[in-house]
Amino acid sequence: MSGIVKVITGKCRMCYACIRNCPVKAIKVVDGQAQVVPELCISCGHCVQVCAQKAKLVESEIEKVNSYLQNERVAACLAPSFVAEFHPAWPGQVISALRRMGFAEVHEVAFGAHLVTQEYLKYLEEMGDRQGLITTPCPAVVNLVEKFFPRLISQLVPIVSPAIALGRYLKKTRGPALKVVFIGPCVAKKAEIRDEEVAGAVDAVLTFAEFREMLRERGLEISAQEDGEFDSPPPHFGRLYPIGGGLLRSAGILPDILESRVLVVEGREECLEFLRAVNEGKMVPQVADMLFCKGCINGPAIENEYSSFRRRRIVAEFAHRGLEQVSDGGEEAMEELDLRREFRDRSVHLPRPSEADIRAIMAELGKMGPEDELNCGACGYPSCRDKAIAVYRGLAENEMCLPYLILQLQKSNLRLRQELKTVRGQFGQLVGKSTAMQEVYRLIEKVAPTDATVLIRGESGTGKELVARAIHYRSLRSEAPFVSINCAALPENLLESELFGHARGAFTGAVAAKKGLFEEAHEGTLFLDEIGDISLSLQAKLLRVLQEGEFIRIGETRPRRVDVRIIAATNRDLEGAIKEGSFRPELFYRLNVITLWLPPLRERRDDIPLLARHFLEQACQRLGKDIKGFTAEAMDALIRADWPGNVRELENVIERAVILCEGNRIELTDLPRDLRNRAANAAGWAYTQGMTFREAVEAYEVQLLIKALEESKWVQARAAEILGLKRSTLNEMLKRYRLLPKMAKRYSENRR
């Protein structure tokens, strides 16, 4: 059977409130998301009440009821608590609203409660002095006993609930074609009507929330309706059922405080405590009347904000008025009505871990002894041992432990701080030892301690943001935020909102006020990438911030002041843009306090081996591979390539090569074909700069060998003759450089 309560995937925020409040722990956590376990769930609805994110969803039957109203004759059955839910509206106004919705008849379940009371009196007379009877009109209590206390099933009085009793009465007197719809505060009723023991008596269940939604769909206001009358006979004391002890009071049985022979048990904690005591033989009252909520007037689908005391008073007054009504028949049908039922064992046998299993699970979180078991309850379980048992059963995840997560966060924070100190002492992710990069490092060291605006220029992919971060982390603002935005990635209206923020209602969709990036970067650094692509109007507003240190949120008139260092970057020719009229000269002069040029990769070829090894290590760590380095011909191709995409292109090529590589070194055939072609067409030997003498010699030897082999069509004897080498010497070199015939053939095919 599918569950009545479901979880909306993605809305769960791992607060574990549902687990803490679930009386039977019928919630399991998978990948951080709570899920209801139908086999364990008793449908009490408490998890729906406590979920702050509204991630729990009760199965709706609105569509089913709407279909009934269009095609069938339908009777509405109002739970006795409706008078408290819709107060101060008159009960008759609720009845009239139901008739306006299309219900042919409106009955009160309190009459069903009256029928149940009469049946209870018969049963108690049959049982005589039998002890330990449990009376309950509550399906959540029935679910609890059947699933978790099966030993007590024989003590449940085998009589249906008032809703089922009324449903059977209506089907008998009006005919089985009548559709019966229960409306009340109970989630468990949705599960009850599916029980094979009582199926068919009630066709659908609406919570009060669903009923209100249907009223809104039809534009009906209860308070605007006229007074109406129920179609059912007088309920007598049946209207007391939503109050704790109402069943016993309607049967004329009063709780016995002195001898505790007759008990009223209400509320989830009290119900669990009582059932455990009875199950263990510690308590045997003659009769106990149980409601899982503190009366149905406090059911999970009650929406009004009255106190439970006021609700109780409203129901009691309504019940008192009902006593004045005179019975108008119906006794004949009552006498022939079957109000009995059976209960069955629906318990689930979960595996029980050994002590060693529990210790092993807790050891994963560093809980080695009792002193480490804090039992804080943050995970939703009363103790660390209970959580470990749930983990063993697959109902929880070990990492749900809050103290453990805090400790891990503290360790991670410490490690990141240490790494940050290391980064600040160097140049971050910048890699290179060429003369051009040494000049970049020198400028970073000079401008970083100042608050001067810096304009970083260079081709796309040269690492302008890395330079901006290096400046920030070596500055006096390093403890404050570094905020980055690509100005070319957003349209003008969104970019302005991102930079300066907006007031609530400033434009369509602005449902709340929002801080801009200038405010987020207060006392820190704001990096404006692709500054050359912003509009002229936005340039004027940016200029105001640079000149005055203040800005205005969209939709506001009051300026806000910020203390932000600006670092901008562009790959555009700003001087040309000024001549064209697409960039403001005054903004250029404000940005161009310090200009830092980043050289393209083709002008710093001696850095390529360093960068390639750096990206290789990163890719191997990320992809879980163990690749030692590059073959000579692969490195030769990397150095000779022209790299129009600069460092970013090199990084992507290395990652692709790592994915494709099948050996322990990157080979030429692991590189993209177009890159190999570009490298082959490169002129001169300037690409050997930055290589060791041995690497340069190996690269040159490989080129000679390949050229000779290609000329000889891979006939080794002929290639040796061309090179003036002995056949054995050539064979050794081919092995050393891994240019055996099979590899040579593969190389030749890929070159085509």
Side-chain angles (χ1 to χ4, degrees):
M1 182 185 293
S2 61
I4 298 300
V5 179
K6 295 179 175 61
V7 179
I8 304 173
T9 304
K11 291 193 72 173
C12 178
R13 299 288 295 275
M14 297 183 291
C15 68
Y16 309 131
C18 56
I19 299 177
R20 280 192 295 277
N21 287 275
C22 180
V24 293
K25 299 296 181 273
I27 309 284
K28 71 176 179 179
V29 176
V30 179
D31 296 331
Q33 295 286 296
Q35 297 179 7
V36 179
V37 183
E39 295 78 12
L40 301 177
C41 179
I42 61 173
S43 304
C44 65
H46 281 283
C47 61
V48 180
Q49 285 182 300
V50 302
C51 184
Q53 296 299 316
K54 307 300 180 186
K56 305 294 186 301
L57 185 68
V58 178
E59 184 178 75
S60 174
E61 294 194 326
I62 291 178
E63 187 175 342
K64 180 196 288 188
V65 174
N66 280 331
S67 175
Y68 288 162
L69 291 173
Q70 291 176 2
N71 305 297
E72 310 282 351
R73 181 175 176 83
V74 190
C77 300
L78 279 170
S81 54
F82 87 96
V83 290
E85 171 70 9
F86 297 102
H87 189 81
W90 304 334
Q93 290 179 307
V94 179
I95 297 169
S96 295
L98 286 165
R99 296 191 191 281
R100 290 282 302 277
M101 289 172 65
F103 287 95
E105 302 179 26
V106 182
H107 299 266
E108 55 179 328
V109 177
F111 175 68
H114 171 65
L115 299 179
V116 167
T117 297
Q118 305 308 310
E119 193 68 22
Y120 268 109
L121 290 173
K122 292 179 184 177
Y123 184 81
L124 293 176
E125 185 177 350
E126 293 171 10
M127 292 298 101
D129 295 330
R130 181 183 169 184
Q131 303 293 305
L133 294 177
I134 298 175
T135 67
T136 180
C138 178
V141 172
V142 172
N143 292 338
L144 182 62
V145 173
E146 288 187 331
K147 292 187 176 186
F148 294 93
F149 299 95
R151 289 178 54 193
L152 305 182
I153 288 177
S154 62
Q155 294 175 235
L156 284 173
V157 175
I159 297 176
V160 298
S161 68
I164 300 300
L166 180 59
R168 289 183 177 179
Y169 172 82
L170 292 175
K171 296 280 187 176
K172 186 175 183 61
T173 58
R174 270 46 170 198
L178 179 73
K179 296 298 181 182
V180 178
V181 177
F182 172 89
I183 303 172
C186 184
V187 173
K189 275 282 185 281
K190 289 179 177 284
E192 180 188 25
I193 67 170
R194 299 181 180 181
D195 190 329
E196 60 187 27
E197 276 290 319
V198 297
V202 176
D203 298 289
V205 170
L206 295 176
T207 62
F208 286 143
E210 291 172 275
F211 175 39
R212 290 180 187 276
E213 184 177 340
M214 292 179 69
L215 287 170
R216 286 192 295 269
E217 289 174 354
R218 291 163 170 78
L220 292 175
E221 288 285 345
I222 292 178
S223 58
Q225 306 304 312
E226 297 178 354
D227 200 8
E229 297 289 339
F230 282 115
D231 294 298
S232 48
H236 304 286
F237 282 103
R239 289 177 177 173
L240 292 175
Y241 265 61
I243 300 174
L247 189 155
L248 295 179
R249 178 65 183 85
S250 66
I253 304 172
L254 299 179
D256 182 0
I257 299 176
L258 293 178
E259 299 183 13
S260 297
R261 291 185 305 106
V262 179
L263 297 179
V264 172
V265 183
E266 56 180 339
R268 52 182 178 159
E269 292 84 2
E270 290 80 358
C271 285
L272 283 168
E273 184 180 357
F274 171 76
L275 290 175
R276 289 192 190 105
V278 175
N279 196 51
E280 296 168 5
K282 297 178 180 178
M283 177 179 289
V284 186
Q286 182 178 1
V287 179
D289 184 30
M290 299 181 67
L291 288 176
F292 196 75
C293 301
K294 289 187 177 295
C296 300
I297 54 174
N298 295 301
I302 287 283
E303 290 194 334
N304 71 39
E305 298 180 354
Y306 295 149
S307 68
S308 59
F309 302 104
R310 187 174 182 188
R311 294 175 193 154
R312 186 186 184 96
R313 180 178 176 182
I314 293 170
V315 170
E317 289 177 352
F318 187 57
H320 183 73
R321 289 206 304 271
L323 296 178
E324 301 171 359
Q325 296 176 320
V326 179
S327 177
D328 58 353
E331 288 77 4
E332 300 83 359
M334 291 166 52
E335 291 178 0
E336 300 176 3
L337 197 61
D338 179 14
L339 299 181
R340 300 292 175 98
R341 61 159 300 172
E342 298 295 332
F343 302 102
R344 67 186 188 281
D345 186 342
R346 292 193 287 152
S347 58
V348 177
H349 298 286
L350 298 172
R352 180 74 186 182
S354 66
E355 185 64 26
D357 293 326
I358 294 175
R359 300 303 326 163
I361 292 171
M362 290 199 290
E364 292 179 8
L365 301 181
K367 300 180 186 297
M368 302 303 181
E371 66 278 5
D372 300 319
E373 298 174 23
L374 302 181
N375 300 328
C376 64
C379 62
Y381 292 89
S383 71
C384 297
R385 290 180 63 83
D386 289 324
K387 200 284 291 287
I389 293 171
V391 171
Y392 182 84
R393 292 171 171 171
L395 298 176
E397 295 176 332
N398 215 9
E399 294 75 12
M400 290 163 58
C401 179
L402 182 61
Y404 169 77
L405 292 178
I406 292 175
L407 180 61
Q408 293 301 108
L409 184 61
Q410 290 172 338
K411 290 180 179 178
S412 176
N413 195 26
L414 178 61
R415 184 177 68 254
L416 289 174
R417 285 182 177 275
Q418 291 171 340
E419 291 176 0
L420 186 58
K421 288 180 181 179
T422 303
V423 168
R424 290 172 183 168
Q426 301 171 358
F427 292 95
Q429 295 289 319
L430 292 172
V431 176
K433 61 180 182 181
S434 63
T435 303
M437 287 305 296
Q438 293 299 324
E439 178 64 17
V440 171
Y441 298 150
R442 187 182 65 81
L443 282 173
I444 289 174
E445 287 184 328
K446 283 190 173 183
V447 304
T450 73
D451 273 346
T453 302
V454 179
L455 178 61
I456 305 172
R457 307 183 71 173
E459 294 180 7
S460 179
T462 50
K464 295 186 283 294
E465 183 169 348
L466 295 179
V467 172
R469 289 182 181 275
I471 293 172
H472 171 75
Y473 287 126
R474 293 176 68 85
S475 73
L476 300 177
R477 298 173 178 263
S478 60
E479 294 290 341
F482 174 86
V483 180
S484 170
I485 184 172
N486 186 332
C487 299
L490 296 173
E492 180 181 355
N493 58 337
L494 290 181
L495 179 59
E496 182 178 357
S497 174
E498 285 294 313
L499 290 174
F500 306 121
H502 60 253
R504 179 182 178 184
F507 50 83
T508 302
V511 296
K514 177 187 175 182
K515 279 186 178 182
L517 296 184
F518 273 100
E519 288 178 89
E520 296 288 352
H522 182 60
E523 298 184 343
T525 302
L526 178 60
F527 175 56
L528 302 174
D529 198 7
E530 306 299 349
I531 189 72
D533 293 338
I534 64 175
S535 67
L536 287 170
S537 61
L538 200 54
Q539 290 176 31
K541 296 177 181 179
L542 184 59
L543 182 62
R544 174 187 174 91
V545 184
L546 291 171
Q547 290 176 337
E548 309 295 338
E550 64 182 27
F551 67 95
I552 300 175
R553 283 185 181 179
I554 300 175
E556 291 186 349
T557 57
R558 178 177 60 86
R560 296 172 181 264
R561 297 197 62 82
V562 286
D563 174 17
V564 175
R565 180 184 192 172
I566 298 295
I567 300 178
T570 185
N571 60 5
R572 291 191 61 191
D573 176 12
L574 294 184
E575 292 83 355
I578 291 173
K579 292 179 182 179
E580 295 171 357
S582 61
F583 201 84
R584 293 179 179 272
E586 59 270 31
L587 177 59
F588 174 75
Y589 299 134
R590 292 293 304 184
L591 293 172
N592 198 32
V593 178
I594 299 290
T595 297
L596 195 155
W597 288 89
L598 276 182
L601 190 55
R602 61 183 174 276
E603 294 180 9
R604 43 183 287 227
R605 293 184 185 276
D606 44 349
D607 286 335
I608 291 177
L610 288 175
L611 287 164
R613 293 189 185 98
H614 173 70
F615 293 139
L616 175 64
E617 291 174 2
Q618 285 188 331
C620 286
Q621 184 176 7
R622 186 166 60 251
L623 299 171
K625 301 190 76 169
D626 183 17
I627 300 175
K628 304 301 183 184
F630 301 83
T631 62
E633 60 269 24
M635 181 60 74
D636 172 52
L638 292 175
I639 294 172
R640 294 178 66 137
D642 50 6
W643 298 112
N646 292 295
V647 179
R648 186 183 296 121
E649 183 185 4
L650 174 61
E651 182 179 9
N652 293 337
V653 166
I654 298 301
E655 182 173 6
R656 175 189 183 276
V658 170
I659 294 172
L660 297 179
C661 182
E662 297 177 354
N664 60 1
R665 289 165 70 85
I666 301 294
E667 298 183 8
L668 183 64
T669 51
D670 295 322
L671 303 178
R673 182 180 300 176
D674 65 324
L675 183 140
R676 298 198 304 267
N677 293 337
R678 280 186 274 152
N681 295 330
W685 284 89
Y687 64 85
T688 59
Q689 294 180 16
M691 297 175 68
T692 65
F693 177 78
R694 182 179 179 81
E695 287 175 337
V697 170
E698 287 180 351
Y700 187 64
E701 286 183 350
V702 167
Q703 292 294 323
L704 290 175
L705 289 170
I706 292 174
K707 185 175 182 180
L709 287 167
E710 288 178 340
E711 288 183 9
S712 65
K713 298 182 179 180
W714 301 97
V715 178
Q716 293 185 27
R718 177 62 183 148
E721 184 180 339
I722 292 172
L723 294 169
L725 298 174
K726 292 181 180 180
R727 174 70 179 274
S728 59
T729 303
L730 175 64
N731 193 46
E732 289 177 1
M733 294 180 73
L734 292 176
K735 288 181 180 179
R736 186 194 324 151
Y737 294 128
R738 302 176 68 184
L739 290 173
L740 294 173
K742 183 178 178 181
M743 295 299 297
K745 182 180 180 182
R746 179 181 166 195
Y747 175 81
S748 178
E749 290 174 349
N750 280 280
R751 285 288 299 269
R752 287 199 293 271

